[in-house]
Amino acid sequence: MSRIDSIEEKAARWLAREEEGLGPAMRAQFDAWLAEADLHRVVYLRLKSAWRQADRLAALKRPEPPFATSRSVRAWALPRLPSAPMRALAAVLVVACLGVGGYFGFLPQHDGYMTAIGQRQMLRLSDGTQVELNTDTLLRTKMTANRRTVILVRGEAFFDVVHDAKRPFVVLVGDRRIVDVGTKFSVRRDSDHIRVLVSEGRVTVDIPGEKHPGLPVVAKANEVVIAKTDETLVVPKNQQTVVDDLSWRRGVLVFNQQTLADAAAQFNRYSTKQIVVKGDARNLRIGGSFRANNIEGFAQLVSEGFELKVEENGDTIIISN
Amino acid sequence: MDHDKLDLWFMREILPLEGDLVRYLRHKWPDSNEVPDLMQETYARIYEAARSELPLQARAFVFAIARNLMIDKLRRISVVSIETVADFDDMHVIDNEPDPERQVTARQELRLLQLALDELPHRCRQIVVMKKVEGYSQREIAAKMGVTEVVVEHQVVKAMRLLTQAVYGLRNSTMTKAGRVQLRKRRKDQ
C-alpha cells in the first residue's frame, strides 16, 4: 500500500465517523490529523466531495406517484371543488383512481385532522409516526400496505417518522412531494409558499409528474427547503435557528433580531386578533421568547419596551410610534 | 484565508478538473502507475499555494503546479533521461480549453453514479443503499445485518473510495475506467 493509499484509507475512516457524529475528543483528534498535512486535507476533501455527490443516489429510489397523475392529488386535496368543470374533472379522476385501485388492493383509509386558530394537536399515526399540528392546520392521512401518505392542505406540521424502507412516508403539499428518508422535519404551507425544515436525518423534495422531470432536492439536518412555484431552494441554518423555528411545538415563539412586523405576522397566525404595525415601528428589531397564544401580552410588552402606542379596535391591535 | 472558504474553493474549482489533470500527468510522467499519487501531491501543493491568495485562473494554476511538481521530482531522480527533460520544456503548450467530456450534466452524473454503485461488490453496495438511499446510520445497518459496526465502517470506507474514483475518474476521457483499483488490476494483468 502506498503512502497516499493509507492516507486515503484513514481519511475515509474519518469521513465515515464524522457522518455518524464525532464527540469533542474525537473531533479534536480529527482536526489535528487534518492540520498535520495539506495532503491529509486534500485527500479528505476529495472523498467528501464525491461522497456528498453520492447523496443523490437517494434520488434514484423515487417512489411511484400515489395516484395516476399529480393533478389528481391536488384535486383530492381540495376540501371543496369550486366549479362544475372541476367537479367533472374530479369525477374523471376518481374513476382514474379507482382504475389504479389494484395498486392499493383496496381503497385506502383516509383520515382528516384539523386544528383551529391558536390550537395545537399531537397525533400518533397507526405506524407509530408522531405528527404535531400547529395553528390553523388541515391535513389528511392515507395509510396503505406499501405507502404512508400525508396531504398537508394548509398550516404547519412536524413529523417524527418511524422509518420503514418498505413503506415510504410521503408528504404532499401543494405540488411538492416530500419523501422522508428516516427523519424529523416540519412542513409549513402558506398558500403557494412551502417551507420544509429538517431537524434530523434527510428528506427529498420534488414535484411529481412528467412535466417536471427535475431531480429531487435532498435536504439534510439543519437545512431548510423553500419552494415557491417552480423555484426550490435549499438553505443551511445553524442549529439554534432550527430549534427556534420549532419552538411552536412548545407553544412558544422565539425571535432573534426579527423586525417587529415579522414578529407580528407570526403572532397573527395564532390568533383571531390581529396586530397591525404602522410606520417606522415596523423595522424595530426584537428578540426574546413569548407564549404564542398571548398576543395581547406581546403587544403590551413591546409597547412598554419601545415606548410605542397601542390601540385596540375590535379584533385589531394597532402598534405605532 | 479560513479553511472553510479554501475547502469550498478546492471542491468547486479544482476537483472538477481532475480528468484533465490526470490526463496531463499521464502524458508527461514516465510511470503511469505513479500518477494517482502525483495527482494527490499536486492537490496538496495547490491547497498550500492557494492559502495566501486564490488564483484567478484555476486551470492554468493546476497545470503550472503539476509541472513544477514533476520537475522537482525529476531533479531528485539521479538519472534523468534527456527526452523527459526536453519534454517538459514545451509543457506550457497545453490545451487550455475546458474538456467537453468534463461538461457532464447532472443527469449524466447521476447515471454514472448509478453505474458505479452497480459495480460495487455485493455487500458494499447493500450497505451504501441502506446508508445513502434508505438513510440508516451505521449502527442501525450493523444491527440489521447482524455484523459489528467495524465491519460496516470497513465497507463504507471501501465504498467511499470506489465511488470517489467513479465520480472523478469517469470524467477522464482517456481511460474508460480510471482509478487506482483498476490501474492495479491492469498492472497485474500485464
Side-chain angles (χ1 to χ4, degrees):
Chain A
M1 195 186 256
S2 82
R3 184 171 71 103
I4 289 178
D5 257 336
S6 76
I7 291 172
E8 195 177 79
E9 174 107 25
K10 269 205 192 105
R13 190 152 292 145
W14 276 120
L15 179 56
R17 288 184 187 163
E18 188 187 28
E19 273 197 336
E20 298 293 300
L22 290 174
M26 289 285 270
R27 181 82 236 175
Q29 221 180 317
F30 176 39
D31 285 343
W33 184 80
L34 282 178
E36 216 172 275
D38 285 333
L39 190 57
H40 293 182
R41 188 175 282 273
V42 294
V43 169
Y44 160 76
L45 288 176
R46 181 169 175 270
L47 287 169
K48 180 173 168 172
S49 173
W51 189 239
R52 237 196 234 161
Q53 292 191 46
D55 278 347
R56 295 216 309 272
L57 288 170
L60 297 174
K61 207 186 83 176
R62 302 182 66 174
E64 306 115 75
F67 292 109
T69 66
S70 61
R71 184 173 286 275
S72 66
V73 172
R74 232 173 288 148
W76 194 276
L78 285 170
R80 264 183 304 125
L81 294 164
S83 65
M86 277 299 278
R87 243 174 256 143
L89 174 63
V92 170
L93 291 169
V94 166
V95 171
C97 293
L98 291 173
V100 295
Y103 175 78
F104 296 106
F106 54 92
L107 277 177
Q109 186 191 332
H110 187 178
D111 295 323
Y113 302 93
M114 209 174 103
T115 50
I117 289 171
Q119 226 182 11
R120 278 183 297 135
Q121 196 191 339
M122 172 102 95
L123 311 170
R124 189 181 283 274
L125 304 181
S126 56
D127 65 329
T129 290
Q130 281 195 22
V131 186
E132 289 172 58
L133 276 59
N134 199 2
T135 175
D136 193 22
T137 297
L138 172 62
L139 63 78
R140 302 184 199 286
T141 63
K142 282 200 294 280
M143 309 301 265
T144 67
N146 46 17
R147 173 179 303 275
R148 299 167 287 170
T149 306
V150 169
I151 301 168
L152 181 68
V153 182
R154 65 161 187 269
E156 181 170 28
F158 179 83
F159 302 90
D160 182 348
V161 179
V162 172
H163 187 73
D164 182 352
K166 290 195 194 70
R167 232 178 136 206
F169 191 91
V170 179
V171 178
L172 299 168
V173 46
D175 59 359
R176 293 303 201 281
R177 171 171 60 186
I178 301 147
V179 182
D180 141 75
V181 217
T183 206
K184 295 183 184 173
F185 62 102
S186 78
V187 183
R188 177 171 159 197
R189 179 179 188 181
D190 200 350
S191 66
D192 66 339
H193 200 113
I194 294 157
R195 196 163 180 278
V196 182
L197 183 147
V198 183
S199 63
E200 241 181 79
R202 238 163 347 133
V203 300
T204 65
V205 179
D206 72 348
I207 308 177
E210 276 156 25
K211 268 194 188 164
H212 300 276
L215 291 174
V217 170
V218 180
K220 298 193 286 289
N222 299 330
E223 289 183 338
V224 172
V225 180
I226 298 162
K228 199 179 178 186
T229 57
D230 278 350
E231 313 285 336
T232 308
L233 185 71
V234 183
V235 192
K237 297 273 176 190
N238 69 42
Q239 209 170 354
Q240 193 52 50
T241 315
V242 172
V243 171
D244 290 351
D245 262 25
L246 293 172
S247 60
W248 62 263
R249 296 172 54 213
R250 297 179 280 122
V252 173
L253 294 178
V254 178
F255 302 116
N256 185 10
Q257 299 306 308
Q258 262 111 317
T259 63
L260 187 52
D262 286 345
Q266 283 296 315
F267 268 100
N268 287 346
R269 291 175 58 209
Y270 295 84
S271 174
T272 45
K273 280 202 175 168
Q274 299 284 294
I275 297 179
V276 178
V277 188
K278 288 189 167 163
D280 292 344
R282 293 180 63 79
N283 299 318
L284 286 172
R285 300 279 167 174
I286 66 155
S289 64
F290 306 86
R291 294 228 63 87
N293 57 8
N294 190 1
I295 195 166
E296 288 103 337
F298 170 74
Q300 207 53 50
L301 207 63
V302 166
S303 74
E304 283 165 17
F306 291 104
E307 295 179 5
L308 300 170
K309 209 164 78 184
V310 177
E311 296 163 77
E312 268 203 63
N313 186 356
D315 271 349
T316 311
I317 303 171
I318 299 164
I319 301 179
S320 58
N321 297 72
Chain B
M1 185 168 312
D2 61 84
H3 275 317
D4 288 349
K5 203 172 159 199
L6 202 50
D7 288 358
L8 268 180
W9 169 80
F10 180 78
M11 291 195 275
R12 273 191 208 149
E13 301 288 326
I14 302 302
L15 287 177
L17 302 173
E18 183 161 303
D20 294 347
L21 172 62
V22 167
R23 191 151 356 106
Y24 177 64
L25 292 170
R26 286 173 68 82
H27 186 57
K28 298 294 179 191
W29 193 252
D31 183 355
S32 64
N33 292 316
E34 289 171 15
V35 163
D37 284 9
L38 270 182
M39 176 194 85
Q40 299 280 20
E41 283 178 60
T42 307
Y43 283 154
R45 281 200 179 191
I46 288 170
Y47 194 90
E48 192 195 340
R51 201 170 263 140
S52 47
E53 198 186 355
L54 294 185
L56 290 173
Q57 298 283 340
R59 281 180 72 78
F61 187 67
V62 167
F63 290 125
I65 291 212
R67 174 177 186 270
N68 289 338
L69 175 73
M70 286 189 281
I71 289 173
D72 286 355
K73 286 208 169 262
L74 282 175
R75 280 196 187 126
R76 257 177 266 139
I77 302 171
S78 49
V79 186
V80 179
S81 78
I82 291 167
E83 302 102 287
T84 316
V85 175
D87 204 15
F88 277 99
D89 284 339
D90 55 52
M91 215 143 61
H92 56 277
V93 194
I94 46 166
D95 172 18
N96 251 350
E97 288 299 303
D99 177 359
E101 292 286 324
R102 203 166 56 74
Q103 318 277 317
V104 257
T105 65
R107 191 169 287 267
Q108 280 171 313
E109 255 176 19
L110 190 64
R111 227 188 46 231
L112 293 181
L113 264 173
Q114 189 172 20
L115 283 175
L117 181 68
D118 290 344
E119 277 178 26
L120 290 180
H122 175 72
R123 187 143 83 147
C124 198
R125 182 177 63 231
Q126 210 180 343
I127 286 172
V128 172
V129 168
M130 286 173 93
K131 195 170 163 66
K132 287 281 179 192
V133 183
E134 288 162 13
Y136 288 108
S137 72
Q138 282 176 205
R139 178 166 304 168
E140 289 169 319
I141 295 170
K144 272 184 168 295
M145 296 182 83
V147 295
T148 63
E149 271 185 72
V150 178
V151 170
V152 176
E153 186 181 271
H154 180 78
Q155 294 293 328
V156 168
V157 163
K158 192 163 152 186
M160 276 174 179
R161 301 183 67 191
L162 288 168
L163 288 180
T164 300
Q165 283 303 346
V167 167
Y168 293 112
L170 277 171
R171 297 173 185 208
N172 181 358
S173 59
T174 57
M175 296 196 292
T176 47
K177 281 183 192 171
R180 205 171 317 179
V181 180
Q182 282 85 359
L183 277 174
R184 246 198 239 113
K185 267 189 212 153
R186 200 170 302 172
R187 195 160 32 168
K188 271 183 209 152
D189 294 346
Q190 278 164 2

